[in-house]
Amino acid sequence: MARKSLNNNLAKAKKNKNDEFYTQLVDIENELKHYKNHFKDKTVYCNCDDPRVSNFFHYFSYNFENLGLKKLITTCYKNQNMELFSKNNSERAIYLEYNGDKNGDKVPNPTEIGIKLLKGDGDFRSPESIELLKQADIVVTNPPFSLFREYVAQLVEYNKKFLIIGDQNAIAYKEIFKLIKENKIWLGVDNGGTKWFQVPNHYNIKTESRKKTENGIQYFSKGSIVWFTNLDHDKRHENLILYKTYNEAEYPKYDNYDAINVDKTADIPIDYQGAMGVPITFLDKYNPEQFEIIKSMASTTIDESSAGYPFINGVRKYARIVIKHKER
């Protein structure tokens, strides 16, 4: 798909609140396996998932006893339709509550799952959904990418633990970067690279490299996808092994900010104590005990959190995050 066509399709999805990118079970399993100790006796809320077909619901319901969950709640925006891709045209939605296996077969049966009608449309911002959110200890889902800022703001407002999927570009959002800088949110474990999302067959994906069809089901790769969380995990405490030393020729300074440019995370000089601009992908290796995040260089904004886009000899570089070594 040409960039213009891709952007047009995503813009249309945003306009219609139609962010129908359904996460594959394998991607959920690859990430959730790193957090098993967080879920014992906890209520999990998946508030952007049709609970009858969501792979998030599948994962948590089938692993309910293994994780030691207390309760599983799922809701979906404007959907009472059993089909995976509803037209989101029902004025009322449903939510499900699952409290674990009752008949001993370790399988979540329909008789064990409480299906309840909501009065409203199931939007995560609705009063009903917020009341369900208040019950939750941890929120795990793939929220609408077009509403990512608002979605995260709600989680922070209600002081919830969470593990959610988002576009890597969200790192540069002012509101998200501020939370990252303050160590209130960080990246999960299985980040970056291509992740395939199931999408409705009517989606017009023209670029062959961004689509595939298996068993009549259409999949779409939506750029570089990462997990955002405030659940601790071992990876974020691993020191990045560095081997390069600083020299002026290899690490020029920016025209507009007092920091050196580092093109690759692996090339961070071990002996430079000043500010360094590194790629956004550095956050996948970020250990808050090893580095301090200073600013973002990913927009035209200049304020306490942002230094504007990085320039070297008048040429704009790719977006950067400004860091420095923690004092030893």
Side-chain angles (χ1 to χ4, degrees):
M1 178 186 295
R3 175 62 59 183
K4 182 177 180 181
S5 297
L6 174 62
N7 288 341
N8 286 343
N9 278 348
L10 293 180
K12 183 178 180 181
K14 290 178 182 181
K15 181 178 179 181
N16 295 331
K17 297 182 181 179
N18 194 24
D19 292 302
E20 294 182 286
F21 304 111
Y22 278 70
T23 313
Q24 293 194 85
L25 183 60
V26 64
D27 291 322
I28 296 170
E29 291 173 335
N30 285 342
E31 184 67 21
L32 266 294
K33 66 185 180 184
H34 299 283
Y35 305 86
K36 291 183 178 179
N37 62 319
H38 288 283
F39 289 99
K40 184 173 175 57
D41 298 323
K42 297 296 192 295
T43 294
V44 171
Y45 185 29
C46 306
N47 59 347
C48 296
D49 303 82
D50 188 318
R52 295 154 300 188
V53 289
S54 163
N55 281 323
F56 284 100
F57 178 78
H58 180 98
Y59 176 85
F60 283 113
S61 60
Y62 277 84
N63 288 280
F64 194 96
E65 282 73 29
N66 289 336
L67 293 171
L69 292 181
K70 178 182 178 182
K71 183 188 292 187
L72 172 61
I73 307 172
T74 53
T75 59
C76 179
Y77 175 69
K78 283 191 174 183
N79 196 357
Q80 295 181 36
N81 196 321
M82 284 298 293
E83 294 180 2
L84 176 59
F85 297 108
S86 160
K87 295 181 180 179
N88 301 116
N89 56 5
S90 173
E91 291 307 311
R92 296 181 69 183
I94 66 161
Y95 75 98
L96 301 192
E97 283 190 7
Y98 181 60
N99 294 283
D101 182 55
K102 298 294 187 295
N103 61 11
D105 65 359
K106 303 300 182 183
V107 176
N109 299 303
T111 56
E112 297 169 331
I113 301 171
I115 303 176
K116 301 181 181 181
L117 273 172
L118 292 167
K119 295 179 181 178
D121 59 15
D123 189 302
F124 71 87
R125 298 160 294 189
S126 69
E128 287 179 300
S129 294
I130 290 173
E131 286 305 309
L132 293 173
L133 176 66
K134 290 177 181 178
Q135 297 181 35
D137 298 298
I138 306 174
V139 177
V140 185
T141 192
N142 175 2
F145 289 174
S146 61
L147 299 172
F148 195 79
R149 292 178 179 87
E150 189 173 358
Y151 186 84
V152 172
Q154 183 188 83
L155 295 177
V156 172
E157 178 184 356
Y158 288 94
N159 195 30
K160 295 301 173 181
K161 295 294 185 181
F162 58 87
L163 178 62
I164 59 176
I165 289 178
D167 193 306
Q168 180 178 274
N169 292 331
I171 291 169
Y173 296 166
K174 179 176 67 174
E175 301 87 346
I176 304 302
F177 183 78
K178 183 177 185 294
L179 295 171
I180 292 172
K181 183 174 181 291
E182 295 172 352
N183 207 31
K184 294 178 179 178
I185 181 174
W186 46 86
L187 297 194
V189 178
D190 183 29
N191 300 309
T194 300
K195 285 185 171 59
W196 293 91
F197 295 88
Q198 188 177 347
V199 296
N201 288 334
H202 64 74
Y203 269 34
N204 184 23
I205 306 172
K206 295 181 179 178
T207 297
E208 292 301 316
S209 63
R210 284 188 172 269
K211 74 173 182 178
K212 66 179 180 180
T213 303
E214 296 178 354
N215 299 319
I217 299 172
Q218 183 171 235
Y219 295 90
F220 170 60
S221 65
K222 195 185 180 305
S224 192
I225 301 300
V226 298
W227 292 85
F228 293 87
T229 188
N230 57 0
L231 297 172
D232 202 14
H233 55 78
D234 291 340
K235 182 180 176 181
R236 70 184 296 259
H237 299 289
E238 296 174 356
N239 273 351
L240 180 62
I241 305 302
L242 304 173
Y243 68 98
K244 300 199 71 168
T245 56
Y246 170 73
N247 66 82
E248 290 186 12
E250 190 173 358
Y251 300 100
K253 285 197 171 184
Y254 298 117
D255 303 343
N256 55 325
Y257 190 76
D258 186 14
I260 63 170
N261 178 67
V262 181
D263 281 325
K264 297 179 181 178
T265 297
D267 292 342
I268 294 172
I270 193 170
D271 58 342
Y272 190 80
Q273 296 306 310
M276 303 173 285
V278 296
I280 284 179
T281 51
F282 158 82
L283 285 180
D284 188 42
K285 306 292 184 181
Y286 172 52
N287 176 350
E289 292 126 28
Q290 185 180 17
F291 297 100
E292 177 185 350
I293 294 175
I294 302 171
K295 281 184 180 288
S296 166
M297 300 185 79
S299 71
T300 57
T301 303
I302 298 177
D303 57 26
E304 60 181 16
S305 296
S306 175
Y309 282 116
F311 284 84
I312 297 177
N313 296 325
V315 178
R316 197 178 97 179
K317 300 285 291 182
Y318 288 112
R320 293 287 190 263
I321 294 173
V322 181
I323 65 168
K324 68 177 181 179
H325 288 283
K326 279 282 184 74
E327 293 184 7
R328 299 173 183 176

